[in-house]
Amino acid sequence: MNPDLSKNFQAIGAEMQWLSQLIESRINHYFKTSDDLPAIEEITPPPYAEGAFLHQFIAELALSRSERMVLALALAPHVSPQVLDTFFIKNKNFDRGFTEFGGIKGVNHGGFLPTGETALFLLAGDDIQGRVLSNEILAPAGKLRARGVIEYGKVPDGEPHASGLLLLDKEYVDYLTAGKPYEPEMNHEFPAKKITTSLEWDDLVLNEETWDSIAEIRTWLEHEELLMQDWGLGQKVKAGYRCLFYGPPGTGKTITATLLGKATGMPVYRVDLSLVVSKYIGETEKNLSKVFEVAESKKWILFFDEADALFGKRVQANSSNDRFANQEVAFLLQRIEDFNGLVVLASNLKGNIDEAFARRFQSMIYFPLPDKDERRSLWDFYFNSQVPKSAEIDFDHLAEEYEVTGGNIVNVLRYSCIKAVTSPEKQIMQGDIVAGLKREFRQLGKTI
């Protein structure tokens, strides 16, 4: 077993034992059943165990004792549900559970599931002032909810918000128990997928002007905290950075976005607009809201490919549906403008993007078709020494003759290798490359 995992399991056990003592003490003093147990304030939390993910996380967030209690309570159903069984005791006067304990019994889960009310009881018992003050810990602006560590489940209209389930975000369940990074599954409710690249900056072929513009974004990402806080820019400019990458397909827009994330340690998530844009009024906004909420708390870079599908020029409002659609898009544009991280929109044509939104970009970067020298570098990069190829291939001629992108060359490489692996020579021939180029041009509606 991984030594760090072993340490973490021990830390979780200690945390659950502490929670069990807290619950026992709170219930004992609440019902005044014994004078032998220490008061809840006298029960100290376990010391941090070096190498334990759980304790590292608590230390990094500088959680207070009360916040640590709430975190332990939210974690308990996932690792030690029996710790919460005490809350199942019945109020004999009414033949049901105690209202002040909160909590519910799950559908499949046989144990007690804590709610916000459970947390308030644990923190303050029946002390009204203490409960009101403890609500700040569970509020959206509180450290745990602001970071997306915990959230409340949905509550029916008219019921107290603290009656919502105290939910530990799945990311933190995975990380705090097993040290696993969280990567949400893409679906209609979460229309985004993490994208990565094995390439490096040296593998990217761009012109000097584009390079300079990309360097500005990278500098902002690397020094944002210094600029916004220490230099006071946060008092004068909005947080976040919005940029448009535009140019023909295959010119490096997606790779550049992933490399920005790779260089700064920020995950890059591509939003799938086919899952976002809905024929049902109001659904587009709903489908995107979860992505923005998670991305803001996790410091993700959001990448909208083929962005004109959603952020293109708005239609003339000839019907109530058109008017609502335009209002919805306007709301989403505002949501992106308020996003506190990097948003990259990619489009084939700059003119396709709505002008009202284009004015809000910090930078608009053109990715042109590569020139002859850049094409030569791309041919060399993709058809490297590992690829078996005939000495007859004239890459200078290919770079001179065919105006293609890196994306086109990747497709030609794949086609040529498939042809070569079944040929007697077991190597790529000039004819294979030309045939692959012809196919690329046909798919683009062009002829050689």
Side-chain angles (χ1 to χ4, degrees):
M1 181 186 296
N2 184 323
D4 287 340
L5 278 179
S6 179
K7 292 176 182 177
N8 199 57
F9 296 152
Q10 292 174 17
I12 291 173
E15 212 75 11
M16 291 301 103
Q17 184 178 2
W18 176 55
L19 176 64
S20 179
Q21 293 171 344
L22 294 172
I23 294 171
E24 184 181 9
S25 174
R26 174 60 71 199
I27 290 178
N28 172 71
H29 286 275
Y30 182 70
F31 292 112
K32 299 179 173 61
T33 57
S34 171
D35 295 328
D36 296 333
L37 291 177
I40 196 169
E41 295 78 15
E42 299 171 357
I43 304 173
T44 58
Y48 293 155
E50 186 178 352
F53 307 119
L54 174 61
H55 286 164
Q56 287 176 355
F57 180 77
I58 293 170
E60 286 170 6
L61 265 63
L63 296 184
S64 67
R65 183 176 183 276
S66 295
E67 289 165 338
R68 186 171 175 180
M69 289 166 64
V70 172
L71 180 63
L73 182 64
L75 181 60
H78 303 278
V79 295
S80 191
Q82 70 277 11
V83 168
L84 305 178
D85 284 349
T86 305
F87 288 119
F88 276 135
I89 60 175
K90 280 190 173 184
N91 185 329
K92 295 180 180 178
N93 294 328
F94 301 104
D95 193 31
R96 63 176 177 82
F98 286 87
T99 303
E100 52 268 48
F101 293 173
I104 65 169
K105 186 180 182 302
V107 177
N108 296 328
H109 180 69
F112 180 93
L113 295 174
T115 60
E117 291 166 338
T118 315
L120 292 176
F121 175 77
L122 181 64
L123 292 168
D126 61 351
D127 177 10
I128 294 178
Q129 178 177 329
R131 289 173 67 90
V132 172
L133 294 176
S134 294
N135 258 316
E136 295 182 6
I137 297 172
L138 301 169
K143 193 178 295 183
L144 290 171
R145 287 186 67 186
R147 284 288 298 265
V149 180
I150 63 168
E151 60 180 336
Y152 274 161
K154 292 182 179 179
V155 177
D157 290 342
E159 296 193 14
H161 64 273
S163 64
L165 279 172
L166 186 67
L167 301 173
L168 181 62
D169 187 272
K170 188 180 185 302
E171 172 187 5
Y172 293 103
V173 174
D174 293 342
Y175 177 73
L176 297 179
T177 57
K180 295 179 180 177
Y182 172 62
E183 294 184 11
E185 181 180 350
M186 184 174 68
N187 52 46
H188 283 279
E189 295 182 356
F190 195 88
K193 183 178 182 179
K194 185 177 181 180
I195 56 175
T196 59
T197 181
S198 59
L199 300 179
E200 302 294 340
W201 288 111
D202 290 343
D203 301 324
L204 193 59
V205 178
L206 300 172
N207 63 40
E208 186 175 351
E209 183 177 352
T210 304
W211 270 122
D212 290 343
S213 299
I214 297 300
E216 290 179 16
I217 300 174
R218 183 173 175 179
T219 299
W220 175 267
L221 292 174
E222 291 174 343
H223 301 283
E224 182 180 9
E225 185 174 344
L226 169 69
L227 296 170
M228 295 293 283
Q229 296 182 15
D230 297 354
W231 289 20
L233 262 65
Q235 302 174 11
K236 303 176 179 66
V237 301
K238 294 192 71 169
Y241 200 100
R242 290 151 291 281
C243 58
L244 172 68
F245 292 175
Y246 68 98
T251 49
K253 299 186 290 293
T254 302
I255 293 175
T256 299
T258 55
L259 284 172
L260 283 169
K262 190 174 184 178
T264 56
M266 297 180 183
V268 181
Y269 275 76
R270 175 165 51 198
V271 180
D272 187 337
L273 295 179
S274 67
L275 294 177
V276 171
V277 181
S278 172
K279 64 180 178 180
Y280 298 107
I281 292 175
E283 284 297 302
T284 296
E285 175 187 329
K286 179 182 176 182
N287 290 343
L288 268 178
S289 61
K290 181 64 174 177
V291 175
F292 280 112
E293 290 171 7
V294 176
E296 283 187 327
S297 64
K298 315 304 180 202
K299 290 191 174 295
W300 289 352
I301 294 172
L302 291 182
F303 179 69
F304 292 83
D305 202 4
E306 300 179 3
D308 20 351
L310 184 60
F311 304 109
K313 294 182 177 178
R314 284 168 277 189
V315 298
Q316 186 69 32
N318 296 320
S319 69
S320 59
N321 276 5
D322 290 341
R323 286 192 295 274
F324 194 95
N326 283 342
Q327 291 171 7
E328 187 176 62
V329 170
F331 175 85
L332 291 171
L333 297 182
Q334 186 64 50
R335 188 66 184 82
I336 285 180
E337 186 174 15
D338 293 339
F339 182 63
N340 59 17
L342 173 63
V343 176
V344 179
L345 274 64
S347 173
N348 293 341
L349 295 171
K350 175 184 176 184
N352 287 350
I353 299 296
D354 186 277
E355 292 180 4
F357 185 56
R359 292 194 296 269
R360 306 176 192 183
F361 289 119
Q362 272 66 60
S363 60
M364 292 185 283
I365 303 174
Y366 180 47
F367 287 72
L369 286 169
D371 61 25
K372 180 185 68 174
D373 292 336
E374 291 162 354
R375 292 195 294 272
R376 184 66 175 86
S377 296
L378 288 167
W379 283 111
D380 282 341
F381 174 71
Y382 287 109
F383 285 77
N384 57 36
S385 59
Q386 292 176 284
V387 179
K389 52 190 177 291
S390 170
E392 69 170 2
I393 298 176
D394 187 348
F395 287 112
D396 287 329
H397 171 76
L398 294 171
E400 177 78 38
E401 188 69 18
Y402 302 104
E403 292 188 357
V404 291
T405 67
N408 297 138
I409 293 175
V410 170
N411 291 338
V412 171
L413 171 66
R414 183 181 291 108
Y415 172 86
S416 301
C417 287
I418 291 172
K419 290 296 181 182
V421 78
T422 57
S423 70
E425 297 86 0
K426 292 292 187 294
Q427 61 180 3
I428 296 173
M429 309 299 289
Q430 179 89 354
D432 297 329
I433 294 177
V434 173
L437 285 166
K438 288 180 178 179
R439 191 173 76 158
E440 280 295 293
F441 277 83
R442 283 197 302 272
Q443 291 176 352
L444 295 172
K446 302 178 180 179
T447 57
I448 294 181

